[in-house]
């Protein structure tokens, strides 16, 4: 499939002939989740955004933001990030042949994301502060220097990310509810815009990690903390738009504990064959813990791939079984596990 700017140009702020920086993002799988459906008593689908080229939904926004920056003559792009935006920025900047700069909270981003940003040649600044502080600072840097800001405060990001709602509408025709993790609140804003544009109004249920749940408390969180590092955010930039999406769709926002997130994370991997990162599992944890208002057909957005964060995966499961290189030893191990 071509990238999403080409697929949806008539509904995006681009014209034929514009420079397009793409990795053929979008067109991600929407798969049914039979065991999850059984558990919650509804028809549940999973939108696998980890199948995008850099392994997260950020590619949808980044193809638009970087293409627009190149069209405007930018020679550099910058963002604050909990990891995935950094990885996507780095890849699309490399593709465009421009400079990429990312500011990440030191020691608080998953290993895969850091490897991606560095491999793609971005300048990676490890801030001794959290994401919210990083975003404040990059806004100031972008105001003072000729460097394009590509966080989701940039509307091209929202425009690109709304295409996931188009894809769901094309695949299902209609749905009753969407469950989605909320961090900086750009993605829920984008889905709502996309659904409205195609005439749908599913109930929008946003889920935040309990230690980083400003929208649930109704006030910023100074020191957000959660195992789901991607959504470790205390003062979301798209606060009002996210609340509007949830209120006008008759949805809501709720918190899920780290334990609930990790339970959903393991359940998806073991019982549905889908490996997502912890932040993504917040959508399913939320559905399991809080329901989706009695909805019959529900889509959970799995925002990023599980391989992004191997450390959390390995800390969440049992270890390997050491074995001498002999047939009888292997048999003893696997038959002992009840193979025959
Ligand atoms: N899921 C994942 C895997 C994310 O990386 C993010 C955000 C979210 C959910 C929340 O989306 O911010 O639009 O509400 N990650 C950003 C980043 C903040 O820097 O990569 P949101």
């Amino acid at each position: 499939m071509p990238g999403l700017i080409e697929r949806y140009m008539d509904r995006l702020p681009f014209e034929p002939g514009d420079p397009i920086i793409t990795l053929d993002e979008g067109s991600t799988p929407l798969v049914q989740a039979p065991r999850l459906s059984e558990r919650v008593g509804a028809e549940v689908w999973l939108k696998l955004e980890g199948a995008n080229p850099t392994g997260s939904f950020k590619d949808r926004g980044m193809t638009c933001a970087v293409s627009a920056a190149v069209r405007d003559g930018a020679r550099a792009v910058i963002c604050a990030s909990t990891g995935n935006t950094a990885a996507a920025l780095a890849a699309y900047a490399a593709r465009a042949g421009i400079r990429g700069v990312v500011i990440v909270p030191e020691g608080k981003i998953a290993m895969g994301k850091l490897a991606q940003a560095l491999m793609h040649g971005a300048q990676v600044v490890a801030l001794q502060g959290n994401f919210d502080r990083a975003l404040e600072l990059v806004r100031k840097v972008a105001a003072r220097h000729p460097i394009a800001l590509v966080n989701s405060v940039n509307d091209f990001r929202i425009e690109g990310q709304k295409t996931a709602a188009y894809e769901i509408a094309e695949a299902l025709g209609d749905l009753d509810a969407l469950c989605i993790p909320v961090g900086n609140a750009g993605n829920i804003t984008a889905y709502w815009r996309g659904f409205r544009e195609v005439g749908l109004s599913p109930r929008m249920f946003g889920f935040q990690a309990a230690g980083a749940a400003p929208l649930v408390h109704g006030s910023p969180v100074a020191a957000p903390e959660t195992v789901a590092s991607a959504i470790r955010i205390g003062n979301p930039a798209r606060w009002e738009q996210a609340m509007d999406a949830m209120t006008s769709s008759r949805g809501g926002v709720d918190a899920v504990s780290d334990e609930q997130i990790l339970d959903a994370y393991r359940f998806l991997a073991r019982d549905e064959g889908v490996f997502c990162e912890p932040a993504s599992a917040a959508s399913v944890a939320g559905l399991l813990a809080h329901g989706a208002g009695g909805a019959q057909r529900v889509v959970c957005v799995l925002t990023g791939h599980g391989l992004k964060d191997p450390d959390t995966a390995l800390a969440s499961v049992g270890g390997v079984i050491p074995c001498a290189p002999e047939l009888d030893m292997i048999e003893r191990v696997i038959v002992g596990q009840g193979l025959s």
Side-chain angles (χ1 to χ4, degrees), residues 57-58 81-85 181-187 230-231 233 277 279 303:
F57 72 96
K58 304 288 181 178
S81 179
T82 56
N84 280 323
T85 306
V182 177
N184 210 27
N187 212 26
I231 51 171
I233 294 176
E277 66 172 286
T303 45

Side-chain angles (χ1 to χ4, degrees), residues 117-192:
L118 291 168
M119 275 300 288
H120 289 304
Q123 196 174 11
V124 179
V125 180
L127 191 77
Q128 285 139 19
N130 62 24
F131 170 85
D132 302 287
R133 180 66 182 144
L135 184 57
E136 268 173 45
L137 291 170
V138 291
R139 282 184 194 249
K140 288 186 181 148
V141 171
R144 290 159 61 100
H145 301 277
I147 181 164
L149 180 60
V150 295
N151 277 105
S152 60
V153 294
N154 177 330
D155 203 60
F156 284 99
R157 285 277 312 279
I158 306 298
E159 285 290 303
Q161 287 169 211
K162 75 182 180 183
T163 60
Y166 297 168
E167 291 175 14
I168 292 171
E170 285 163 22
L172 298 182
D174 205 352
L175 69 162
D176 304 310
L178 186 88
C179 295
I180 184 169
V182 177
N184 210 27
N187 212 26
I188 191 167
T189 301
Y191 271 84
W192 183 235

